[in-house]
Amino acid sequence: MAVVLGFQILPSSTIVKPEPDHSHSVIHGVKVLLADSDDVNRGVTRKMLEKLGCNVAVVSSGYDCLGALGTDVSSFRIVLLDLRLPDLDGIEVTMRIQTFRNSSWPLIIGLAATADEDVSGRCLQIGMNGIICKLVLLPGLAHKLQKVLLQASRIIS
C-alpha cells in the first residue's frame, strides 16, 4: 500500500495569521469552582476552562464545594457542579448554596451524564442556571458559559 500526499508550497507573503479570538471575552477572567468526583473529568474540564481564560478552583465532593464557597460566595461567579457527587449530590449542594447565595451569584451549572428532560427540569426548578451534558466539548462549554453569564447580567442590571 502506498500513500501519496500532495503539498503546495506557498510564498511566505500569502500566509495569513489568524485574528485573535475575542469570542470568549465574557468568560475570560471569570472565577469558576468546578466540583466533580471523577479525576479524569475534573482534569479535562479544568483544562478547558483554563483554555477559555477562566480562573479555576477544583473540588471533588459536595462538602468540599460548600466549604470552598464558605459563606462568602461572591468570589466565585460560576459553580460547575457534577450532579453525581459521592457525598452530597448536585441537587442537594445547589439547595444548600441557595440558603446563602448572594443575589444571583454564584451561577450554578449542573454537569449531567445524560440530557434527560426530567433531570434538566428538576435542576432548573431548584435554581440552577443551566445544565451541561457530559462529555463536554470546548465549544459547547464556551457557549453555555457565555449564555448563562449574559442571561444573568441582563437579569441583574
PDB file of all heavy atoms in Angstrom, residues 23-50:
ATOM      1  N   SER A  23     -14.101  35.941  21.071  1.00  0.00           N
ATOM      2  CA  SER A  23     -15.450  35.437  21.297  1.00  0.00           C
ATOM      3  C   SER A  23     -15.667  34.969  22.727  1.00  0.00           C
ATOM      4  O   SER A  23     -16.786  34.830  23.163  1.00  0.00           O
ATOM      5  CB  SER A  23     -15.758  34.294  20.326  1.00  0.00           C
ATOM      6  OG  SER A  23     -14.885  33.208  20.566  1.00  0.00           O
ATOM      7  N   HIS A  24     -14.590  34.726  23.478  1.00  0.00           N
ATOM      8  CA  HIS A  24     -14.733  34.252  24.848  1.00  0.00           C
ATOM      9  C   HIS A  24     -14.455  35.360  25.858  1.00  0.00           C
ATOM     10  O   HIS A  24     -14.207  35.089  27.020  1.00  0.00           O
ATOM     11  CB  HIS A  24     -13.780  33.077  25.100  1.00  0.00           C
ATOM     12  CG  HIS A  24     -13.951  31.946  24.130  1.00  0.00           C
ATOM     13  ND1 HIS A  24     -15.141  31.279  23.969  1.00  0.00           N
ATOM     14  CD2 HIS A  24     -13.092  31.383  23.260  1.00  0.00           C
ATOM     15  CE1 HIS A  24     -14.992  30.349  23.036  1.00  0.00           C
ATOM     16  NE2 HIS A  24     -13.760  30.398  22.598  1.00  0.00           N
ATOM     17  N   SER A  25     -14.514  36.627  25.425  1.00  0.00           N
ATOM     18  CA  SER A  25     -14.161  37.734  26.311  1.00  0.00           C
ATOM     19  C   SER A  25     -15.094  37.824  27.516  1.00  0.00           C
ATOM     20  O   SER A  25     -14.679  38.283  28.575  1.00  0.00           O
ATOM     21  CB  SER A  25     -14.136  39.054  25.549  1.00  0.00           C
ATOM     22  OG  SER A  25     -15.398  39.324  24.997  1.00  0.00           O
ATOM     23  N   VAL A  26     -16.326  37.384  27.389  1.00  0.00           N
ATOM     24  CA  VAL A  26     -17.272  37.385  28.513  1.00  0.00           C
ATOM     25  C   VAL A  26     -16.804  36.408  29.582  1.00  0.00           C
ATOM     26  O   VAL A  26     -16.993  36.639  30.778  1.00  0.00           O
ATOM     27  CB  VAL A  26     -18.688  37.007  28.021  1.00  0.00           C
ATOM     28  CG1 VAL A  26     -19.645  36.808  29.177  1.00  0.00           C
ATOM     29  CG2 VAL A  26     -19.214  38.046  27.065  1.00  0.00           C
ATOM     30  N   ILE A  27     -16.174  35.330  29.176  1.00  0.00           N
ATOM     31  CA  ILE A  27     -15.749  34.267  30.080  1.00  0.00           C
ATOM     32  C   ILE A  27     -14.379  34.555  30.683  1.00  0.00           C
ATOM     33  O   ILE A  27     -14.094  34.164  31.812  1.00  0.00           O
ATOM     34  CB  ILE A  27     -15.684  32.918  29.321  1.00  0.00           C
ATOM     35  CG1 ILE A  27     -17.024  32.587  28.685  1.00  0.00           C
ATOM     36  CG2 ILE A  27     -15.259  31.799  30.246  1.00  0.00           C
ATOM     37  CD1 ILE A  27     -16.943  31.449  27.698  1.00  0.00           C
ATOM     38  N   HIS A  28     -13.528  35.241  29.935  1.00  0.00           N
ATOM     39  CA  HIS A  28     -12.133  35.440  30.344  1.00  0.00           C
ATOM     40  C   HIS A  28     -12.043  36.104  31.725  1.00  0.00           C
ATOM     41  O   HIS A  28     -12.662  37.124  31.973  1.00  0.00           O
ATOM     42  CB  HIS A  28     -11.395  36.298  29.314  1.00  0.00           C
ATOM     43  CG  HIS A  28      -9.926  36.214  29.481  1.00  0.00           C
ATOM     44  ND1 HIS A  28      -9.242  37.045  30.330  1.00  0.00           N
ATOM     45  CD2 HIS A  28      -9.010  35.385  28.944  1.00  0.00           C
ATOM     46  CE1 HIS A  28      -7.965  36.737  30.307  1.00  0.00           C
ATOM     47  NE2 HIS A  28      -7.795  35.728  29.462  1.00  0.00           N
ATOM     48  N   GLY A  29     -11.293  35.483  32.626  1.00  0.00           N
ATOM     49  CA  GLY A  29     -11.093  36.023  33.963  1.00  0.00           C
ATOM     50  C   GLY A  29     -12.158  35.642  34.973  1.00  0.00           C
ATOM     51  O   GLY A  29     -12.042  35.987  36.149  1.00  0.00           O
ATOM     52  N   VAL A  30     -13.191  34.939  34.540  1.00  0.00           N
ATOM     53  CA  VAL A  30     -14.266  34.540  35.454  1.00  0.00           C
ATOM     54  C   VAL A  30     -13.743  33.478  36.419  1.00  0.00           C
ATOM     55  O   VAL A  30     -13.060  32.542  36.019  1.00  0.00           O
ATOM     56  CB  VAL A  30     -15.491  34.004  34.660  1.00  0.00           C
ATOM     57  CG1 VAL A  30     -16.511  33.375  35.581  1.00  0.00           C
ATOM     58  CG2 VAL A  30     -16.112  35.112  33.844  1.00  0.00           C
ATOM     59  N   LYS A  31     -14.070  33.642  37.693  1.00  0.00           N
ATOM     60  CA  LYS A  31     -13.637  32.681  38.713  1.00  0.00           C
ATOM     61  C   LYS A  31     -14.678  31.564  38.801  1.00  0.00           C
ATOM     62  O   LYS A  31     -15.853  31.812  39.085  1.00  0.00           O
ATOM     63  CB  LYS A  31     -13.474  33.372  40.060  1.00  0.00           C
ATOM     64  CG  LYS A  31     -12.757  32.505  41.063  1.00  0.00           C
ATOM     65  CD  LYS A  31     -12.306  33.305  42.260  1.00  0.00           C
ATOM     66  CE  LYS A  31     -11.596  32.382  43.231  1.00  0.00           C
ATOM     67  NZ  LYS A  31     -11.252  33.074  44.471  1.00  0.00           N
ATOM     68  N   VAL A  32     -14.218  30.323  38.536  1.00  0.00           N
ATOM     69  CA  VAL A  32     -15.099  29.163  38.463  1.00  0.00           C
ATOM     70  C   VAL A  32     -14.685  28.140  39.521  1.00  0.00           C
ATOM     71  O   VAL A  32     -13.504  27.840  39.680  1.00  0.00           O
ATOM     72  CB  VAL A  32     -15.020  28.501  37.064  1.00  0.00           C
ATOM     73  CG1 VAL A  32     -15.876  27.240  37.008  1.00  0.00           C
ATOM     74  CG2 VAL A  32     -15.446  29.478  35.981  1.00  0.00           C
ATOM     75  N   LEU A  33     -15.679  27.601  40.214  1.00  0.00           N
ATOM     76  CA  LEU A  33     -15.450  26.472  41.115  1.00  0.00           C
ATOM     77  C   LEU A  33     -15.998  25.234  40.422  1.00  0.00           C
ATOM     78  O   LEU A  33     -17.184  25.168  40.099  1.00  0.00           O
ATOM     79  CB  LEU A  33     -16.163  26.682  42.454  1.00  0.00           C
ATOM     80  CG  LEU A  33     -16.073  25.533  43.456  1.00  0.00           C
ATOM     81  CD1 LEU A  33     -14.618  25.224  43.812  1.00  0.00           C
ATOM     82  CD2 LEU A  33     -16.872  25.849  44.704  1.00  0.00           C
ATOM     83  N   LEU A  34     -15.130  24.274  40.161  1.00  0.00           N
ATOM     84  CA  LEU A  34     -15.503  23.030  39.487  1.00  0.00           C
ATOM     85  C   LEU A  34     -15.584  21.918  40.523  1.00  0.00           C
ATOM     86  O   LEU A  34     -14.596  21.625  41.195  1.00  0.00           O
ATOM     87  CB  LEU A  34     -14.474  22.690  38.409  1.00  0.00           C
ATOM     88  CG  LEU A  34     -14.566  21.304  37.765  1.00  0.00           C
ATOM     89  CD1 LEU A  34     -15.898  21.115  37.049  1.00  0.00           C
ATOM     90  CD2 LEU A  34     -13.397  21.094  36.813  1.00  0.00           C
ATOM     91  N   ALA A  35     -16.748  21.305  40.659  1.00  0.00           N
ATOM     92  CA  ALA A  35     -16.944  20.202  41.597  1.00  0.00           C
ATOM     93  C   ALA A  35     -17.283  18.946  40.806  1.00  0.00           C
ATOM     94  O   ALA A  35     -18.364  18.827  40.239  1.00  0.00           O
ATOM     95  CB  ALA A  35     -18.068  20.527  42.583  1.00  0.00           C
ATOM     96  N   ASP A  36     -16.330  18.017  40.743  1.00  0.00           N
ATOM     97  CA  ASP A  36     -16.526  16.761  40.023  1.00  0.00           C
ATOM     98  C   ASP A  36     -15.711  15.686  40.730  1.00  0.00           C
ATOM     99  O   ASP A  36     -14.531  15.892  41.017  1.00  0.00           O
ATOM    100  CB  ASP A  36     -16.089  16.900  38.571  1.00  0.00           C
ATOM    101  CG  ASP A  36     -16.605  15.783  37.685  1.00  0.00           C
ATOM    102  OD1 ASP A  36     -16.674  14.624  38.164  1.00  0.00           O
ATOM    103  OD2 ASP A  36     -16.928  16.045  36.522  1.00  0.00           O
ATOM    104  N   SER A  37     -16.321  14.545  41.002  1.00  0.00           N
ATOM    105  CA  SER A  37     -15.636  13.488  41.750  1.00  0.00           C
ATOM    106  C   SER A  37     -14.719  12.636  40.879  1.00  0.00           C
ATOM    107  O   SER A  37     -13.823  11.969  41.391  1.00  0.00           O
ATOM    108  CB  SER A  37     -16.661  12.584  42.444  1.00  0.00           C
ATOM    109  OG  SER A  37     -17.513  11.996  41.484  1.00  0.00           O
ATOM    110  N   ASP A  38     -14.910  12.674  39.575  1.00  0.00           N
ATOM    111  CA  ASP A  38     -14.093  11.862  38.672  1.00  0.00           C
ATOM    112  C   ASP A  38     -12.816  12.614  38.306  1.00  0.00           C
ATOM    113  O   ASP A  38     -12.875  13.719  37.748  1.00  0.00           O
ATOM    114  CB  ASP A  38     -14.903  11.529  37.412  1.00  0.00           C
ATOM    115  CG  ASP A  38     -14.138  10.615  36.484  1.00  0.00           C
ATOM    116  OD1 ASP A  38     -13.366  11.129  35.654  1.00  0.00           O
ATOM    117  OD2 ASP A  38     -14.316   9.383  36.593  1.00  0.00           O
ATOM    118  N   ASP A  39     -11.665  12.010  38.622  1.00  0.00           N
ATOM    119  CA  ASP A  39     -10.375  12.668  38.391  1.00  0.00           C
ATOM    120  C   ASP A  39     -10.163  13.063  36.935  1.00  0.00           C
ATOM    121  O   ASP A  39      -9.690  14.164  36.649  1.00  0.00           O
ATOM    122  CB  ASP A  39      -9.214  11.757  38.820  1.00  0.00           C
ATOM    123  CG  ASP A  39      -9.160  11.544  40.326  1.00  0.00           C
ATOM    124  OD1 ASP A  39      -9.705  12.388  41.069  1.00  0.00           O
ATOM    125  OD2 ASP A  39      -8.578  10.531  40.753  1.00  0.00           O
ATOM    126  N   VAL A  40     -10.514  12.169  36.022  1.00  0.00           N
ATOM    127  CA  VAL A  40     -10.302  12.446  34.590  1.00  0.00           C
ATOM    128  C   VAL A  40     -11.215  13.572  34.125  1.00  0.00           C
ATOM    129  O   VAL A  40     -10.759  14.535  33.494  1.00  0.00           O
ATOM    130  CB  VAL A  40     -10.500  11.169  33.739  1.00  0.00           C
ATOM    131  CG1 VAL A  40     -10.438  11.495  32.255  1.00  0.00           C
ATOM    132  CG2 VAL A  40      -9.472  10.109  34.114  1.00  0.00           C
ATOM    133  N   ASN A  41     -12.506  13.471  34.425  1.00  0.00           N
ATOM    134  CA  ASN A  41     -13.446  14.528  34.022  1.00  0.00           C
ATOM    135  C   ASN A  41     -13.045  15.875  34.618  1.00  0.00           C
ATOM    136  O   ASN A  41     -13.094  16.904  33.944  1.00  0.00           O
ATOM    137  CB  ASN A  41     -14.871  14.198  34.478  1.00  0.00           C
ATOM    138  CG  ASN A  41     -15.494  13.082  33.686  1.00  0.00           C
ATOM    139  OD1 ASN A  41     -15.037  12.731  32.605  1.00  0.00           O
ATOM    140  ND2 ASN A  41     -16.542  12.501  34.228  1.00  0.00           N
ATOM    141  N   ARG A  42     -12.652  15.849  35.882  1.00  0.00           N
ATOM    142  CA  ARG A  42     -12.252  17.086  36.559  1.00  0.00           C
ATOM    143  C   ARG A  42     -11.020  17.701  35.879  1.00  0.00           C
ATOM    144  O   ARG A  42     -10.975  18.901  35.629  1.00  0.00           O
ATOM    145  CB  ARG A  42     -11.975  16.794  38.040  1.00  0.00           C
ATOM    146  CG  ARG A  42     -11.840  18.019  38.889  1.00  0.00           C
ATOM    147  CD  ARG A  42     -11.761  17.713  40.386  1.00  0.00           C
ATOM    148  NE  ARG A  42     -10.691  16.777  40.708  1.00  0.00           N
ATOM    149  CZ  ARG A  42     -10.870  15.537  41.173  1.00  0.00           C
ATOM    150  NH1 ARG A  42     -12.095  15.073  41.364  1.00  0.00           N
ATOM    151  NH2 ARG A  42      -9.843  14.761  41.448  1.00  0.00           N
ATOM    152  N   GLY A  43     -10.050  16.871  35.541  1.00  0.00           N
ATOM    153  CA  GLY A  43      -8.839  17.364  34.895  1.00  0.00           C
ATOM    154  C   GLY A  43      -9.100  17.927  33.510  1.00  0.00           C
ATOM    155  O   GLY A  43      -8.598  19.002  33.156  1.00  0.00           O
ATOM    156  N   VAL A  44      -9.888  17.210  32.727  1.00  0.00           N
ATOM    157  CA  VAL A  44     -10.193  17.659  31.360  1.00  0.00           C
ATOM    158  C   VAL A  44     -11.012  18.949  31.386  1.00  0.00           C
ATOM    159  O   VAL A  44     -10.725  19.910  30.661  1.00  0.00           O
ATOM    160  CB  VAL A  44     -10.923  16.547  30.568  1.00  0.00           C
ATOM    161  CG1 VAL A  44     -11.482  17.074  29.262  1.00  0.00           C
ATOM    162  CG2 VAL A  44     -10.002  15.366  30.327  1.00  0.00           C
ATOM    163  N   THR A  45     -12.033  18.983  32.228  1.00  0.00           N
ATOM    164  CA  THR A  45     -12.882  20.168  32.302  1.00  0.00           C
ATOM    165  C   THR A  45     -12.078  21.366  32.804  1.00  0.00           C
ATOM    166  O   THR A  45     -12.229  22.483  32.299  1.00  0.00           O
ATOM    167  CB  THR A  45     -14.102  19.917  33.207  1.00  0.00           C
ATOM    168  OG1 THR A  45     -14.792  18.744  32.740  1.00  0.00           O
ATOM    169  CG2 THR A  45     -15.058  21.096  33.187  1.00  0.00           C
ATOM    170  N   ARG A  46     -11.204  21.136  33.766  1.00  0.00           N
ATOM    171  CA  ARG A  46     -10.358  22.217  34.270  1.00  0.00           C
ATOM    172  C   ARG A  46      -9.487  22.794  33.149  1.00  0.00           C
ATOM    173  O   ARG A  46      -9.391  24.015  32.995  1.00  0.00           O
ATOM    174  CB  ARG A  46      -9.465  21.713  35.395  1.00  0.00           C
ATOM    175  CG  ARG A  46      -8.535  22.783  35.911  1.00  0.00           C
ATOM    176  CD  ARG A  46      -7.564  22.267  36.948  1.00  0.00           C
ATOM    177  NE  ARG A  46      -6.911  23.388  37.582  1.00  0.00           N
ATOM    178  CZ  ARG A  46      -6.492  23.401  38.818  1.00  0.00           C
ATOM    179  NH1 ARG A  46      -6.633  22.336  39.578  1.00  0.00           N
ATOM    180  NH2 ARG A  46      -5.917  24.466  39.307  1.00  0.00           N
ATOM    181  N   LYS A  47      -8.868  21.927  32.364  1.00  0.00           N
ATOM    182  CA  LYS A  47      -8.013  22.388  31.259  1.00  0.00           C
ATOM    183  C   LYS A  47      -8.818  23.207  30.253  1.00  0.00           C
ATOM    184  O   LYS A  47      -8.346  24.222  29.740  1.00  0.00           O
ATOM    185  CB  LYS A  47      -7.330  21.207  30.554  1.00  0.00           C
ATOM    186  CG  LYS A  47      -6.274  20.541  31.388  1.00  0.00           C
ATOM    187  CD  LYS A  47      -5.076  21.436  31.553  1.00  0.00           C
ATOM    188  CE  LYS A  47      -3.980  20.723  32.311  1.00  0.00           C
ATOM    189  NZ  LYS A  47      -2.938  21.618  32.754  1.00  0.00           N
ATOM    190  N   MET A  48     -10.037  22.756  29.948  1.00  0.00           N
ATOM    191  CA  MET A  48     -10.873  23.504  29.005  1.00  0.00           C
ATOM    192  C   MET A  48     -11.230  24.875  29.569  1.00  0.00           C
ATOM    193  O   MET A  48     -11.177  25.879  28.849  1.00  0.00           O
ATOM    194  CB  MET A  48     -12.135  22.716  28.663  1.00  0.00           C
ATOM    195  CG  MET A  48     -11.877  21.553  27.731  1.00  0.00           C
ATOM    196  SD  MET A  48     -13.380  20.837  27.041  1.00  0.00           S
ATOM    197  CE  MET A  48     -14.050  20.008  28.446  1.00  0.00           C
ATOM    198  N   LEU A  49     -11.590  24.925  30.839  1.00  0.00           N
ATOM    199  CA  LEU A  49     -11.925  26.205  31.464  1.00  0.00           C
ATOM    200  C   LEU A  49     -10.723  27.148  31.450  1.00  0.00           C
ATOM    201  O   LEU A  49     -10.867  28.343  31.166  1.00  0.00           O
ATOM    202  CB  LEU A  49     -12.414  25.983  32.897  1.00  0.00           C
ATOM    203  CG  LEU A  49     -13.784  25.338  33.039  1.00  0.00           C
ATOM    204  CD1 LEU A  49     -13.992  24.855  34.466  1.00  0.00           C
ATOM    205  CD2 LEU A  49     -14.884  26.297  32.617  1.00  0.00           C
ATOM    206  N   GLU A  50      -9.556  26.610  31.742  1.00  0.00           N
ATOM    207  CA  GLU A  50      -8.344  27.430  31.715  1.00  0.00           C
ATOM    208  C   GLU A  50      -8.044  27.914  30.302  1.00  0.00           C
ATOM    209  O   GLU A  50      -7.620  29.060  30.105  1.00  0.00           O
ATOM    210  CB  GLU A  50      -7.168  26.645  32.288  1.00  0.00           C
ATOM    211  CG  GLU A  50      -7.280  26.455  33.798  1.00  0.00           C
ATOM    212  CD  GLU A  50      -6.242  25.504  34.383  1.00  0.00           C
ATOM    213  OE1 GLU A  50      -5.603  24.752  33.609  1.00  0.00           O
ATOM    214  OE2 GLU A  50      -6.088  25.504  35.618  1.00  0.00           O
TER     215      GLU A  50
END
